[in-house]
Amino acid sequence: MKLFLKNFALFLVLFTTLLFIKNANAADATCTVSVNAGIVNFGNLTLINIENINIPAILNYTCTNNDLTPRYITVCLSVGDGDGGNGSGNILPRYMKHTNDSSARLAFTMTLPGNRLWGSRFISNSNEYKSQEYRVNGRSSFTDSVEINISILPNYNNHLAKPGTYINNFNSGHTLMTVQDRLLSISSDCSSGGSTTGQFPFKVQATVIPSCEITSTSDINLGIFSAGNQNISGTNNFDVRCTNSVPYYIGLAPSNKNNLGSGIMHGTSSTDKIPYQLRSTNGLEGKIWGNTATSTNVGNGVSGIGTGSTNTHPIYVTVPQTDVRPDNYSDTVDIRINY
């Protein structure tokens, strides 16, 4: 009878020890993660900001300890290249793809605090996000967040982008949430021990809209002439940059608002005036360049197609005669780009 009781007591001790080991390694936390409610949107991009814009995005995570006893929880968040990649797994840069043209892309990057490239422990030269270790009481929850920075990258030909919407979809296969969940406080990188995994899909989006800018202009200096000179001419260039594939139409307007490009130069001290004519081709009979162009019609202006890079346009000026008093004569011409 004594021997039976001794064996029974030994069995109870062993059973209790097994229960402790199971609780120590079981994952009893459940967590959810969201990124800006599922979408990070750059909004409308023009040539002015398409290579110089960044926006913050917030990773929000909430975890609940479903156990009755306190537990220590660490949250780790990893992200891949998304569906905008080319299959190489490269994350510097990542790309958004045009919704109607998969060959058109926008390069961007995502960084954690400290300007660390956000990736995962499985991707070299990148970092997964690792939270602090939280002590969470039984049947309790905590919520926290981290701000990441998402930037359109310069020097990746983003200025060549065509108009349209660009998206990278970080679906379930491109995100990974690992939750390390322990009874004891132990430094962890979320790679071992009691853990659970999940996903937090989101999108990064931008819309390129048509835009144009004048990048450089130069005065046209007709030189010095004696009174009575005729058939004077001069030329110079200005540079225009418009969104790739966008048609544009340029009008020239002298200060007198003449739509036929016929302006008047005024002296600094004399009341005399010198008429001149703006032209788009060289010579005294060159094509007149006026200001009847619209966003859909060239009128008497000059047309072009945007490339995302600089296009150069020459302006020609002719003066019929200079039978005026000596002075410095000038006028201001407005360049108007319609697109």
Side-chain angles (χ1 to χ4, degrees), residues 25-45:
N25 289 285
D28 287 294
T30 55
C31 299
T32 59
V33 182
S34 65
V35 183
N36 279 29
I39 186 167
V40 181
N41 196 339
F42 281 95
N44 293 334
L45 302 182

Side-chain angles (χ1 to χ4, degrees), residues 176-256:
L176 176 65
M177 171 187 65
T178 307
V179 180
Q180 194 79 53
D181 173 16
R182 303 165 298 279
L183 276 174
L184 302 177
S185 176
I186 305 172
S187 177
S188 171
D189 61 0
C190 298
S191 62
S192 62
S195 63
T196 59
T197 59
Q199 288 80 38
F200 50 101
F202 65 97
K203 295 179 181 179
V204 176
Q205 178 175 317
T207 302
V208 175
I209 62 174
S211 63
C212 289
E213 61 175 347
I214 299 172
T215 58
S216 69
T217 61
S218 299
D219 294 338
I220 300 175
N221 190 339
L222 297 171
I224 300 174
F225 295 92
S226 302
N229 274 54
Q230 295 183 347
N231 300 331
I232 300 170
S233 63
T235 185
N236 217 326
N237 302 322
F238 66 93
D239 295 326
V240 173
R241 195 165 69 118
C242 289
T243 305
N244 195 356
S245 77
V246 170
Y248 62 91
Y249 308 98
I250 305 173
L252 297 181
S255 63
N256 63 1

